[in-house]
């Protein structure tokens, strides 16, 4: 692996960012500084922290950034449920985006375990 861009988990999380941005384009304008902004920041945090951790020296630092990524992912899952409950997204949109986030969660959890085993 030459760069963080080669990581499938980074690629999938980048796709999730795009999907979150497209999804939130239809949110009410009064949410621009609320839920829209929060869910977008959470989404951006996932691949950003994977990339930043990749560039750090040592597994301890990398694990810290991967844990920030998974925390941001849990934020997204919560914010998606809020969006669904408020009827900003429909069931199909929720199921698709939440399913993708759960796949990334499983991949991140496995990756974190793999890095921990190297210590």
């Amino acid at each position: 692996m030459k760069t963080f861009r080669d990581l499938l988990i980074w690629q999938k999380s980048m796709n999730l960012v795009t999907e979150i941005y497209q999804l939130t384009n239809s949110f009410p304008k009064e949410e621009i500084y609320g839920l829209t902004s929060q869910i977008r920041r959470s989404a951006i945090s996932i691949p950003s922290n994977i990339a930043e951790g990749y560039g750090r020296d040592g597994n301890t630092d990398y694990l810290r950034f991967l844990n920030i990524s998974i925390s941001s992912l849990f934020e997204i899952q919560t914010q998606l449920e809020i969006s669904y409950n408020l009827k900003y997204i429909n069931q199909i949109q929720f199921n698709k985006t939440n399913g993708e986030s759960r796949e990334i969660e499983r991949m991140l959890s496995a990756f974190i375990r793999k890095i921990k085993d190297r210590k």
Side-chain angles (χ1 to χ4, degrees):
M1 189 171 10
K2 296 177 177 117
T3 170
F4 62 86
R5 289 178 184 85
D6 296 326
L7 292 170
L8 183 59
I9 195 163
W10 181 84
Q11 295 167 11
K12 285 187 176 284
S13 62
M14 287 292 288
N15 290 337
L16 183 63
V17 171
T18 303
E19 188 167 328
I20 290 292
Y21 265 76
Q22 291 169 343
L23 201 63
T24 56
N25 275 335
S26 64
F27 281 18
K29 294 301 172 210
E30 64 267 14
E31 286 292 352
I32 193 74
Y33 299 110
L35 188 56
T36 301
S37 176
Q38 185 62 40
I39 196 169
R40 286 177 174 184
R41 281 194 315 264
S42 298
I44 290 168
S45 175
I46 298 165
S48 297
N49 278 291
I50 291 168
E52 187 171 356
Y54 187 90
R56 294 296 174 129
D57 191 29
N59 288 342
T60 303
D61 243 4
Y62 197 13
L63 281 170
R64 186 168 60 86
F65 283 95
L66 292 175
N67 282 310
I68 293 169
S69 289
I70 204 162
S71 296
S72 295
L73 187 61
F74 293 150
E75 281 187 68
I76 285 176
Q77 291 169 353
T78 300
Q79 293 153 1
L80 284 171
E81 286 195 39
I82 292 167
S83 301
Y84 177 70
N85 290 344
L86 292 172
K87 301 192 182 347
Y88 294 165
I89 59 174
N90 63 39
Q91 178 121 32
I92 293 168
Q93 292 168 314
F94 173 79
N95 288 343
K96 181 180 184 300
T97 309
N98 192 56
E100 290 170 10
S101 78
R102 295 300 308 269
E103 180 184 10
I104 293 168
E105 176 187 343
R106 287 187 293 277
M107 292 174 72
L108 253 176
S109 295
F111 194 48
I112 288 168
R113 279 192 304 277
K114 183 178 177 180
I115 299 293
K116 282 181 180 177
D117 290 343
R118 286 191 205 163
K119 286 177 89 177

